[in-house]
Amino acid sequence: MPKVSVIVPVYNVEKYITKCLTSLINQTLDDIEIIIVNDGSTDNSEQIVKQFKRSHNNIIYVTKENGGLSSARNFGLIYATGEYIAFLDSDDYVDRTTYQKMYEKAKATNSDYVECDFIWQYPEHQKIDTGYRYKDKKEMFEKARVVAWNKLIKREIIINNKLSFPVGLYYEDIEFFYKLLPYINSFAFVEEPLIYYVQRENSIVNKQGAKTKQIFMVLDNVIEYYRKINLYNEYEPQIEYTYSRLLLCSSLKRMIQIPDKLTRKLLLEETWQNLNTKFPNWKKNELLKKNNTVNGLFMKTMNNITFKIYTKVLRLFWR
């Protein structure tokens, strides 16, 4: 059994895949499995991957019809045999010691899950993203970074609990992470930035449109899941706080950047309506009351009037 399986979905990334794969084949971890999922690429990505595979036996290359990031990750999980799973996007790359340090931390602490810091890689500069060191799962629910690609996760947890990414939806990492969280019994941190999160203009996160409203569906899926596994009451303060924070401090920024005026207006109205319908007392949330960060203070000042003012003013800065 390999120590780590790294799943890399590939879709038309001929400009980036070489750097990504080079960083993986040069890992210092001595037993790593690299699973490349070609999600129906139409450029030269396949030729590049095959060149790497010819000289590296630890690369597993599989192909499928285009189905999106979630579909490709789920497909890769079928072939993964490692003790731990990692996900890496094909336009990103990693430090050569990434998976050795994360795996060694997992074994040394007997952890189900390990998280590392990362670097926002812009064309002209870098920015280190240092995560909050949460101490328990409720704090983890509230403060963890929900991206999939800076984690090492014990494979049996994913498989035994039949976890997968939601196919056809944006915000797939949000749904996957919060469904994973109840099954994590122990976690640890590698307190180094080991992954390079490459920023490019035409990436999914930089395309704003009507699909941005899928955040509502993803969050509803999470709420329904916690009800199904009888954990909603236990995590209700965290769910309420996270729902309001993601709508007001994350997806709101994306919605404001939607070019079409009518679509933008309708989604902003839906955001405020959904929040106040599902959680009418969200401003009394105990976690929000204690939160004096910029986001927390921003949320505390929100009401029917300020929401409209903020969205108009912020449009000037974020468009």
Side-chain angles (χ1 to χ4, degrees), residues 34 40 155 165 170 173 180 194 198 240 259 271 294 310:
I34 304 167
R155 182 173 65 92
F165 291 87
Y170 283 2
D173 287 6
L180 167 71
L194 297 174
V198 177
E240 179 182 60
T271 293
V294 172
Y310 287 160

Side-chain angles (χ1 to χ4, degrees), residues 67-124:
L69 181 61
S70 290
S71 175
R73 285 174 172 170
N74 294 340
F75 196 73
L77 282 169
I78 297 171
Y79 296 89
T81 60
E83 182 181 1
Y84 286 84
I85 299 290
F87 300 98
L88 183 65
D89 291 349
S90 52
D91 48 359
D92 298 335
Y93 60 99
V94 294
D95 182 276
R96 63 192 301 271
T97 64
T98 296
Y99 296 114
Q100 179 180 350
K101 288 177 177 176
M102 295 183 79
Y103 180 78
E104 289 178 350
K105 175 66 73 169
K107 300 303 287 184
T109 58
N110 193 28
S111 292
D112 297 330
Y113 164 110
V114 176
E115 178 178 334
C116 73
D117 294 327
F118 57 88
I119 297 169
W120 292 73
Q121 181 68 62
Y122 295 93
E124 304 298 333

Side-chain angles (χ1 to χ4, degrees), residues 2 12 32-33 63 70 85 92 106 135 138 144 170 183-184 206 214 249 253-254 262-263 275 277 287 289 295 304 312:
N12 290 352
I32 185 172
E33 176 181 71
T63 63
S70 290
I85 299 290
D92 298 335
K135 300 175 182 63
K138 289 188 175 179
Y170 283 2
Y183 308 108
I184 297 169
N206 290 320
Q214 291 176 0
C249 300
K253 180 177 179 180
R254 297 185 181 197
L262 179 59
T263 301
L275 173 58
T277 299
L287 301 176
K289 287 181 179 179
N295 282 343
N304 288 323
K312 289 180 180 179

Side-chain angles (χ1 to χ4, degrees), residues 275-293:
L275 173 58
N276 289 282
T277 299
K278 287 189 169 60
F279 297 103
N281 297 312
W282 66 270
K283 288 192 73 172
K284 297 179 181 180
N285 181 275
E286 60 189 59
L287 301 176
L288 178 58
K289 287 181 179 179
K290 299 175 184 177
N291 188 328
N292 292 315
T293 65

Side-chain angles (χ1 to χ4, degrees), residues 157-223:
I157 290 178
I158 298 174
I159 302 304
N160 291 350
N161 295 291
K162 299 179 181 178
L163 300 175
S164 62
F165 291 87
V167 176
L169 296 178
Y170 283 2
Y171 310 103
E172 62 281 323
D173 287 6
I174 291 175
E175 182 167 335
F176 178 81
F177 174 81
Y178 287 116
K179 287 184 175 180
L180 167 71
L181 185 147
Y183 308 108
I184 297 169
N185 294 314
S186 54
F187 54 82
F189 301 92
V190 174
E191 299 187 14
E192 294 181 57
L194 297 174
I195 295 173
Y196 292 83
Y197 179 35
V198 177
Q199 301 302 292
R200 55 189 181 107
E201 289 185 0
N202 62 338
S203 65
I204 291 175
V205 296
N206 290 320
K207 294 179 180 178
Q208 312 307 334
K211 288 186 178 180
T212 306
K213 72 177 295 181
Q214 291 176 0
I215 186 65
F216 307 135
M217 186 182 302
V218 164
L219 292 175
D220 285 348
N221 288 347
V222 172
I223 290 171

Side-chain angles (χ1 to χ4, degrees), residues 37-41 62-68 70-73 75-76:
V37 181
N38 185 345
D39 189 40
S41 294
V62 294
T63 63
K64 60 182 289 297
E65 292 184 0
N66 180 252
S70 290
S71 175
R73 285 174 172 170
F75 196 73

Side-chain angles (χ1 to χ4, degrees), residues 199-260:
Q199 301 302 292
R200 55 189 181 107
E201 289 185 0
N202 62 338
S203 65
I204 291 175
V205 296
N206 290 320
K207 294 179 180 178
Q208 312 307 334
K211 288 186 178 180
T212 306
K213 72 177 295 181
Q214 291 176 0
I215 186 65
F216 307 135
M217 186 182 302
V218 164
L219 292 175
D220 285 348
N221 288 347
V222 172
I223 290 171
E224 170 134 8
Y225 189 75
Y226 275 72
R227 292 190 191 280
K228 178 182 175 182
I229 61 175
N230 298 315
L231 286 178
Y232 182 85
N233 290 339
E234 181 178 345
Y235 283 90
E236 186 172 8
Q238 287 74 27
I239 292 171
E240 179 182 60
Y241 170 76
T242 300
Y243 189 98
S244 56
R245 177 180 60 81
L246 287 174
L247 288 193
L248 297 179
C249 300
S250 179
S251 68
L252 182 67
K253 180 177 179 180
R254 297 185 181 197
M255 290 179 182
I256 287 173
Q257 296 178 75
I258 294 173
D260 183 76

